[in-house]
Amino acid sequence: MSARVLSAKDPGARREAGQLLRSGGIVAFPTETVYGLGANAFDPEAVARVFAVKARPSLDPLIVHLADASDADRVARADDPRVARLAARFWPGPLTLVLPRRPGVPDIVTAGLDTVAIRVPDHEDALALLREAGTPLAAPSANPFGYVSPTTARHVADLLGDSVDLVLDGGPCRVGVESTVLSLVGPAVILRPGGVSRERLERELGTPLAVTGSAERPRAPGQLLRHYATRTPLRILDGPAAVLPPPGGRVGLLAFRAAPGGSGWAVVEVLAPDGRATTAAARLFAALRRLDAAGLDAILAEPCDEGGLGLAIMDRLRRCAARSGEPPQPLP
Ligand code: TXA
Ligand code: MG
């Protein structure tokens, strides 16, 4: 059955979503990065439904979304001076902070870790929903585990159907890649590159930051390789696409700035005609989905420069390349 999709701007839909969340329901909602699938963070049974609907392994902890930085104390020990500083600069925004947790946070949210990940999303509809629900929301990206994250309400509805109680449609996501996950337990370290660039975080903290849990060397929970994968095999090229596609089969190209000459490509998706990584990030997942739906034998992807959001884009492409071509996990 298809999902119920309502406009996130509709006050009635917001009220219903808040009510659903307070009574154990699960609601998909827009954020500036990707769509999330939310449950009351203090309701372990509702959170368990989120894991079940996504077929997500229980060892992979969720991000707790807050309406305001002042709510951080409800779930985390947030007295670290770095928190105030980063929150003032980047919240609301695509930065997730990993902090020591409060005992009241259910184990299922943190996968039993003694830390919790929190962020304040920079999206009017998400903030309105958080206020309406009156509780922090534990929310992963609203996709089946391992598949490309959704950046429109339609993506969510197509993938999850009526296994979610409601999908709030707030239009396409502005940033397009997930939040940067920064651990502040000990020296700051980036666990997942994302919507706030490493350079901006380094400037704010005044210290160089390591990126752990890269596609090559997963370290933290959730840095699992099998993420963001297309069903069609995807390979990253060494440089800009040559004029002609390789012979044989229907091959699609994920180009960065411009379509190459030659007519042999079955499909070409150009991510950023303006050459900006922010544009490419905003369009990345939707382009991957279109390529994946085009009945191709293979997808080739041009690499991009790894400065700014380029780091997050290449991280997602590497993970996709590592496990593309495999069937997604079955939905329960
Ligand atoms: O932009 C985003 O972050 C989106 C939107 C919906 O907010 N959410 C998202 O959630 O991408 P998800 O569940 O797909 O990714 C959460 C990431 C995972 O890599 C997870 O392992 C990590 O955050 N994470 C969560 N809690 C953690 C913790 N306590 N310690 C280390 N990593 C954690
Ligand atoms: Mg995800």
Side-chain angles (χ1 to χ4, degrees):
M1 275 258 291
S2 59
R4 279 181 69 222
V5 183
L6 297 176
S7 166
K9 301 276 179 259
D10 171 3
R14 284 181 177 177
R15 263 196 309 279
E16 184 187 345
Q19 175 60 38
L20 278 167
L21 288 164
R22 283 192 301 278
S23 56
I26 59 177
V27 174
F29 63 97
T31 80
E32 80 280 30
T33 57
V34 301
Y35 274 71
L37 179 57
N40 176 355
F42 293 114
D43 180 342
E45 280 164 33
V47 176
R49 263 188 79 200
V50 169
F51 276 91
V53 162
K54 277 186 61 102
R56 179 176 174 119
S58 57
L59 56 79
D60 195 4
L62 304 185
I63 295 171
V64 176
H65 295 68
L66 309 170
D68 191 89
S70 61
D71 290 335
D73 268 338
R74 293 172 71 180
V75 292
R77 279 216 333 265
D79 46 4
D80 184 325
R82 293 172 298 178
V83 177
R85 187 147 185 195
L86 291 167
R89 181 81 185 78
F90 297 111
W91 280 354
L95 175 66
T96 293
L97 299 178
V98 174
L99 296 169
R101 70 187 266 199
R102 297 267 178 219
V105 181
D107 275 334
I108 187 168
V109 172
T110 65
L113 296 174
D114 51 12
T115 56
V116 62
I118 57 174
R119 86 175 188 100
V120 179
D122 184 16
H123 195 294
E124 196 193 321
D125 300 332
L127 294 173
L129 178 67
L130 282 159
R131 285 191 294 265
E132 189 73 48
T135 177
L137 298 178
S141 49
N143 52 293
F145 182 70
Y147 193 58
V148 181
S149 297
T151 53
T152 66
R154 172 89 348 249
H155 294 161
V156 179
D158 288 349
L159 288 168
L160 299 179
D162 69 353
S163 59
V164 304
D165 297 316
L166 182 61
V167 178
L168 289 179
D169 186 350
C173 301
R174 176 170 57 78
V175 176
V177 290
E178 296 86 345
S179 60
T180 302
V181 180
L182 182 74
S183 171
L184 293 181
V185 182
V189 57
I190 294 175
L191 300 180
R192 177 179 72 181
V196 173
S197 71
R198 164 157 73 176
E199 295 87 335
R200 291 178 69 198
L201 291 170
E202 287 179 337
R203 266 201 301 279
E204 192 58 36
L205 291 171
T207 174
L209 291 173
V211 182
T212 64
S214 65
E216 294 76 23
R217 220 153 43 89
R219 281 230 233 131
Q223 306 313 118
L224 304 171
L225 215 44
R226 195 194 145 68
H227 258 82
Y228 316 103
T230 47
R231 282 148 207 167
T232 315
L234 177 143
R235 190 162 66 77
I236 303 173
L237 296 165
D238 294 330
V243 171
L244 290 172
R250 272 172 60 77
V251 182
L253 176 69
L254 186 67
F256 187 69
R257 186 166 196 157
S263 56
W265 300 98
V267 191
V268 177
E269 287 280 348
V270 178
L271 281 180
D274 60 6
R276 294 163 62 108
T278 47
T279 307
R283 299 167 60 148
L284 176 68
F285 289 146
L288 282 173
R289 268 161 205 284
R290 283 192 297 271
L291 287 165
D292 206 16
L296 301 169
D297 299 311
I299 301 167
L300 298 182
E302 286 183 347
C304 69
D305 181 274
E306 299 204 34
L309 285 201
L311 185 65
I313 293 171
M314 287 304 291
D315 171 80
R316 304 305 187 269
L317 284 178
R318 288 195 188 102
R319 289 173 198 243
C320 181
R323 299 305 285 268
S324 60
E326 294 182 4
Q329 311 235 337
L331 291 178

